Amino acid sequence: MTSRTLPSLLLVLVAVLAGVLAAAPAGAGSMSLAWDPVADADLAGYRLEYGTAPGVYGQLQDVGNATSFTLNGLTDCTTWYVAIKAYDTAGNRSVSFSNEISGWPRPTAGSLTPAVGEQGLTLNVTLSGTNFRSGASVLFSNPGVTVNSVTVNGCNELVASITVGASAATGATSLDVVNTDQTFGTGAGLFTVQAATPPTVASTSPANGATGISTTVQPSITFSEAMSPASITSSTVQVINSGGTPLAQAAGSPALSPDGRTATITLASPLTLGQTYRLRAVGGASGVKDLAGNALASTFTQATGFSTQPDSVPPVISAVAAGSITGTSAQITWTTDEVADSQVFWRLAGQTTYQQTVIDTNLLTSHSMQLTGLMPSTTYEYHVRSADGAGNAAVSSPDRTFTTAASSSSYLVFEAEAGTLASPVRSVTGTNAFGGAYIDTPQGTSQGSANNPAGTAVFGVNIPTAGTWYLWVRMNNVTGSGGTWYESMDGGSRQLMNVSAINAWEWSAGRSYTLTAGLHSLELGGRRAEARADRILLTNDPAFVPSSQPVGDQTPPAAPTSFTATPSDKANALAWTNPSSSDLARIVIRVRTDGVTPVTPVDGTAVLDRAATASAPDSFLHTGLVNGTAYRYAIFAVDAVGNVSVKATATGTPQDNQPPANVQSLRRTDVVSP
């Protein structure tokens, strides 16, 4: 570890742990552990159990027959409690847990701002990362960089006052952030020591010689390094007209960018069309200086300057942001440098095609548009488009992202073709449908009635909480509007569902149902020929109106293979091989004990829903079961945009056996010596 003397064994361990940390998912905390082996003739392995309360272990990890392991995927900035048990080849587990250990995941060092400092400079640097605890310290690998103080602003940010020595070695340097429990994280090459040199002008905006510039442009000068804010004034950074006279600037102008390199000018009034202007930065003792006090060697003035033209330039989009984010909506805001219209394009992260709002034709400089019908705890990518009154359009780039909030409501989504279908209802492959398929009643089908529908599609749905649930179905009536499908729940009365358009997909609302927690049966019954149904949603959110459309990737991944359930005492060991689909994201396992196998990822009881690696063998130990009961499992693969594979199935019936000895001396290894 930087600036510490460590035994060679610990140095090796640090290198190994650094590799494990680098391989962990972004934002996923880790905790490295080791324990003494258990002496047992038929010992098969160990299971780590962990949670966020003492003695309450809601999560587990089978680590095989090893005596060390790194837990990944832990919630950051959270105290975790960990204990372990051994198990033998018959599946028997230790009677008692080992000693319990607790602590936050190890800290990680992500990015440093600013990331460059000159020799002889004292400055504050902000370190972003995770799991910073009060009292954390920072150490740089470059001995010429001294840490004066550290302030922890929160578990994801700390500020360090540092001094870069006048003789500090130049180049990239790493740092360590160390918590008071001696867990640590290393940030490789986060800071660069730069030789003390006078600043230069790196670029200007508009560039020298630029034409067709908007009269409301905000010119800027970018320097080779961070500049002293006190030296950036309307007397040292200017726009001058063709006669060399500086233009008046608005209050607070020029403004220095967060990285200290770019000075942006806001003029008191718009420029004149068809004129040439130049940018100037004053050098010398009374001019601009860098943070170490080095002055611009000589005054910089654009040789040609930039010229304005009649409006043929699109608006400049800035300050694009997502706010007021709920579980199902987000407010997208942005500004333009001239009045323009408004439109937002958005998509699920990982998709290739966008959904879009209707253009708001009001011409504004401050824009705001509401996105609705989103899914909770879901990441979306978005950009905005604005066109000025002359039709010049601009699109923000790159895409930004936002993640909807978690919701106390539930949103159960499944495909119509996944149900149990009775003729003439059939599954049809087609475009403009989720998963590339939907159900329909063929052309020529006789009209059905509430008492005698034209075929049915039946779905098992496990309702997680009792209450009022609302049905939505994405439907299409090729031959007309109006009544299309009958809906019913748990064998109750059938009621007609309507669409308003002809031969167009739309989300149609069904009835609301008062349902108990547990398994229920939903039926769609055919009413007329060429009626189609694509996706079904049940939610206990009365305000939710779905808006999603099948855009981008609609090809589901292949199903998992070699799915087996091997029984043991009150448990079934599940094993399978993930499909090779390149965009595989998650594996979902559901179970039923009523003699029926689940048919969709919302049917039956949840067993597992976690990230998956393509083509990799995987396993899960389903515990807390009743010996002698047959557990019927269905496993599904889900890709990055939510497409679901067909199911693979397995059945296991747990059996009783004897426990092994207790594990001893569980301890944590991701610490440094004092």
Side-chain angles (χ1 to χ4, degrees), residues 220-249:
S220 63
I221 299 177
T222 298
F223 299 92
S224 58
E225 58 183 290
M227 306 302 289
S228 168
S231 73
I232 304 297
T233 70
S234 59
S235 296
T236 61
V237 177
Q238 304 168 330
V239 177
I240 59 176
N241 62 21
S242 57
T245 302
L247 302 186
Q249 299 185 31

Side-chain angles (χ1 to χ4, degrees), residues 245-312:
T245 302
L247 302 186
Q249 299 185 31
S253 176
L256 199 57
S257 62
D259 65 2
R261 294 186 59 210
T262 301
T264 300
I265 298 170
T266 301
L267 297 170
S269 58
L271 300 177
T272 303
L273 293 172
Q275 298 296 311
T276 298
Y277 301 89
R278 292 183 292 169
L279 285 165
R280 179 165 68 187
V282 177
S286 60
V288 295
K289 297 179 179 65
D290 66 17
L291 295 174
N294 302 302
L296 194 68
S298 60
T299 295
F300 164 84
T301 304
Q302 284 181 320
T304 302
F306 60 92
S307 59
T308 57
Q309 296 291 335
D311 187 11
S312 60

Side-chain angles (χ1 to χ4, degrees), residues 81 196 235 334 407 448-449 472 519 592:
Y81 299 83
S235 296
W334 69 98
S407 174
S449 65
W472 291 88
L519 193 63
R592 289 176 67 161

